[in-house]
Structure formats: structure tokens, C-alpha cells
Amino acid sequence: MTDAPRRTALDATHRALGATMTDFAGWDMPLRYSSEREEHVAVRTRAGLFDLSHMGEITVTGPQAGALLDHALVGNIGALKVGRARYTMICAPDGGILDDLIVYRLAEREFMVVANASNAQVVLDALAARQAGFDAAVRDDRDAYALIAVQGPESPGILKKLCAPVADLDGLKYYAGLPGTVAGVEALIARTGYTGEDGFELFVRPADAVTVWEALTEAGRDVGLVPCGLSCRDTLRLEAGMPLYGHELTTALTPFDAGLGRVVKFEKEGDFVGRTALAAAAERAEQAPPRKLVGLVAEGRRVPRAGYPVVAADGTVIGEVTSGAPSPTLGKPIAIAYVDAEHAAPGTAGVRVDIRGSHEPYEVVALPFYKRQK
């Protein structure tokens, strides 16, 4: 016997909209409402509405909350200003990535750590284990929030119709968050996202989720906002070159292996978990560059999938696909892959993906595949 998937506060709304549901990280989540392509294009050109309530919120409070997070995570979290957010990671003592995170500083002594759904318990347990000796408390707030995202070029205009005060929304920077009111209910309004587009994520009480979802739906009706599922979210983040835990990021990789060594802040005060191993990984990367994360664009129509080998012209395996899908924006199959450094330069000739025994030609390109015009 297995436990039934958890349902978000918007579950009945998704079903009323005819969503195709799927079990994702122990949650029953909408995969799509219409088609992945239609939802993807809506986010790129208009706006899309997402339920992200499966994400894991963990609150850290107390006089030494910042110091605890500096010790537990690889980033310089204590230096964050109130109202700002930071992308960071939590690593094992051997440097392997346990999860990638967004941390918001809500007040001088209060932070919110947002973990991926599949790793939320791992992150919570690690923070609790690393709490000893710090005057700080770690609290599981996964049941305290529903998370709704509106993403796409029309998203600022849609949210302005419902948000007070409007002046603060106008000045909200990327990777920042502020308390406000949306559709008459309290919310933490964050300007982050995972689609490559401008957009906002709204942390609200579960009891208020339907009110906010319905208000956003109505406010966006005249500009073509549509509900969007996890399937198009994956193709959007893939085009934007954003890593997905379990694909581009794993416990077998350090941030330096993943090309994200910039998130490790050795200059911060004090020791942090994984520091010694990560310093060694940084040195190894300097001396002998590990496989690099690159983009691959198909010359044909066959779609690569995670785990497919990347090969050179002579058939030698030079890497592995971590994510792949048809790209609605490019009109071609694309993939993200780790490849040997000598084959990682954009335009490298002879690179192919082994798709069930057939070596399909691919062009090596720099990530991201898509970057919005600001």
C-alpha cells in the first residue's frame, strides 16, 4: 500500500477546468489543461497561471537565523537585505547538491526557504540537523501556504488590477518579495519565476487560494491568460536553460560540476557545510574542467530524452542528455546535456545524440536557448 498523493487547495478548481492530473513528488498536480504547446505559447506571448503549491516552504527565525543559513547553505544569506531573495543551494558534506533553493528575507530575523517538492523533507531535515548551536528556529510551513504564479509579458498588468499598493508593485525588483494585498487577501508577492519570462509568485493562505486564482483568471481574461500545467512549465524552463533537480542537479554533482560554482560564497564569514569538499571541487574544475552543461538543437525531428548518450562523430560517448523536449519557440527538438569540455564550444562539429541506436545530428549552442527582450 502507498499513500495517496496530496491535493492542493486548488484541486477542485483544476478538475473543474478539465485538467489532466498527475502524481508529482507525492502531489496530485495538473499536467495540462489544453495542450502543452498552447499553454507554452500563452506564457511566452501573453500570460499563464500556475499552481505551485507543491513547493516546500520552510521558515527560519531568530537572532541567528542568518548565521544558521550561512552555515547550512553555500550562499551568503546573512547579507541579504529585507525584501530580497537569493538563488542558492544546500549541499552534503561531500559537496553533492541536496537541492537548489530560493531564500527570501522577510524580516531582520525571519527567512523563508523554498525547496523543490521532491526534496522538501530532505531540506527540512538537513536544516534541523544543522541548527545546533544557533539561536534560531526551523519551522515546517508547507501547510501554511498555497503558491500561485502568474508568468508572461502581460503578468504585471494583470496583477496591478488586483494588487495594493500598486506603487510598490511597480518598484518590485527581480528576486525580491514584499507583503501586499491581492484580490483583498494578504500575500507575499515575489518577482521570481522559472519560465524565462517576467512574472510573480504569490504566497497566500490555502483558504485564500481559490479567491486569488479566480480573481487572476478574471483580471487576465481580456489579455489571453490561461491556466498552465507542469508539462509546459518544463518546456519553458528548458528553453530558458534553467536546471531541474534530478536532471541537471543531483547529489552526484557539486555546484562546480554543474557550472554553478558562482553560488558558492567562500568569502562569507565562518565555516559552512561542504566547504572543504567544495574548495577541492573548485580547484579540480580549475585544473581539469569537468563536463560542461550545453544546449543541443536538433537538425532533425527526433526528440532526445534524459539519459540518452551524446556521442562524437566516431561514436565515442562524450556526454549525456539531462533534459530534452520539442521547443515550441524554436520549432525544433532541444536538449540540455553534460558533455566533455573539448566538445562544449558552440558550433562544435560532429556532435550527435544516440536515440535508440540512431546517431542524430545536433548543433551545440550556448544556454539559454531563449532569452526574453526586456
Side-chain angles (χ1 to χ4, degrees):
M1 296 290 291
T2 58
D3 293 334
R6 297 181 65 185
R7 296 186 174 189
T8 77
L10 290 161
D11 182 77
T13 300
H14 301 318
R15 295 174 191 278
L17 289 169
T20 299
M21 306 296 288
T22 188
D23 184 346
F24 182 80
W27 290 82
D28 211 11
M29 298 297 295
L31 185 65
R32 70 180 72 84
Y33 300 84
S34 54
S35 76
E36 293 93 335
R37 180 178 177 81
E38 289 174 8
E39 294 170 19
H40 181 111
V41 171
V43 175
R44 286 279 179 257
T45 61
R46 305 185 306 278
L49 189 59
F50 297 85
D51 179 9
L52 305 179
S53 301
H54 60 309
M55 301 294 282
E57 295 86 6
I58 302 163
T59 303
V60 181
T61 58
Q64 291 187 300
L68 166 58
L69 291 173
D70 279 344
H71 169 71
L73 312 181
V74 301
N76 191 356
I77 308 304
L80 262 182
K81 294 182 179 179
V82 173
R84 297 309 304 267
R86 182 158 293 165
Y87 176 78
T88 188
M89 295 181 182
I90 183 168
C91 290
D94 67 359
I97 302 168
L98 296 177
D99 201 12
D100 61 335
L101 313 164
I102 296 179
V103 180
Y104 298 87
R105 189 166 202 160
L106 305 181
E108 192 63 32
R109 297 184 174 187
E110 182 178 4
F111 297 80
M112 182 169 66
V113 177
V114 181
N116 286 295
S118 58
N119 292 329
Q121 189 64 48
V122 170
V123 174
L124 179 65
D125 292 345
L127 289 174
R130 298 172 188 187
Q131 177 185 356
F134 292 93
D135 187 2
V138 175
R139 185 175 72 234
D140 182 359
D141 271 347
R142 284 176 287 180
D143 292 333
Y145 293 102
L147 179 55
I148 298 171
V150 55
Q151 294 277 307
E154 297 288 351
S155 58
I158 293 169
L159 194 55
K160 280 182 185 179
K161 296 179 183 179
L162 305 173
C163 183
V166 171
D168 285 342
L169 183 63
D170 285 338
L172 187 64
K173 297 179 180 179
Y174 187 51
Y175 265 71
L178 58 83
T181 302
V182 178
V185 304
E186 293 181 357
L188 172 65
I189 305 166
R191 198 168 204 160
T192 53
Y194 193 54
T195 64
E197 298 297 337
D198 191 12
F200 303 86
E201 293 180 325
L202 310 173
F203 296 85
V204 300
R205 289 184 294 266
D208 293 328
V210 172
T211 297
V212 173
W213 180 278
E214 291 180 347
L216 287 165
T217 298
E218 184 59 35
R221 194 178 305 279
D222 61 347
V223 294
L225 176 140
V226 301
C228 294
L230 294 180
S231 187
C232 85
R233 185 169 168 84
D234 189 50
T235 55
L236 288 160
R237 71 91 193 169
L238 180 56
E239 287 185 350
M242 295 178 172
L244 176 64
Y245 195 88
H247 289 252
E248 288 72 43
L249 308 175
T250 71
T251 53
L253 298 171
T254 73
F256 295 94
D257 297 322
L260 291 167
R262 59 181 170 78
V263 305
V264 181
K265 304 301 182 184
F266 292 115
E267 68 275 15
K268 64 180 177 179
E269 291 185 12
D271 195 13
F272 61 91
V273 176
R275 183 184 188 111
T276 300
L278 289 169
E283 186 175 349
R284 286 196 304 271
E286 284 278 337
Q287 295 174 353
R291 283 183 167 178
K292 293 187 176 181
L293 204 59
V294 302
L296 299 175
V297 178
E299 295 182 16
R301 308 304 303 174
R302 298 191 70 183
V303 179
R305 299 299 182 188
Y308 285 8
V310 181
V311 298
D314 64 359
T316 303
V317 175
I318 58 170
E320 184 176 303
V321 171
T322 54
S323 298
S327 166
T329 302
L330 275 65
K332 300 178 181 180
I334 60 173
I336 296 177
Y338 280 108
V339 301
D340 295 343
E342 59 267 31
H343 296 275
T348 299
V351 172
R352 291 166 168 75
V353 176
D354 184 341
I355 301 180
R356 298 176 182 173
S358 176
H359 291 186
E360 301 291 329
Y362 273 74
E363 178 188 1
V364 179
V365 300
L367 293 171
F369 300 97
Y370 166 85
K371 194 170 186 178
R372 71 181 175 93
Q373 300 297 314
K374 298 186 178 181

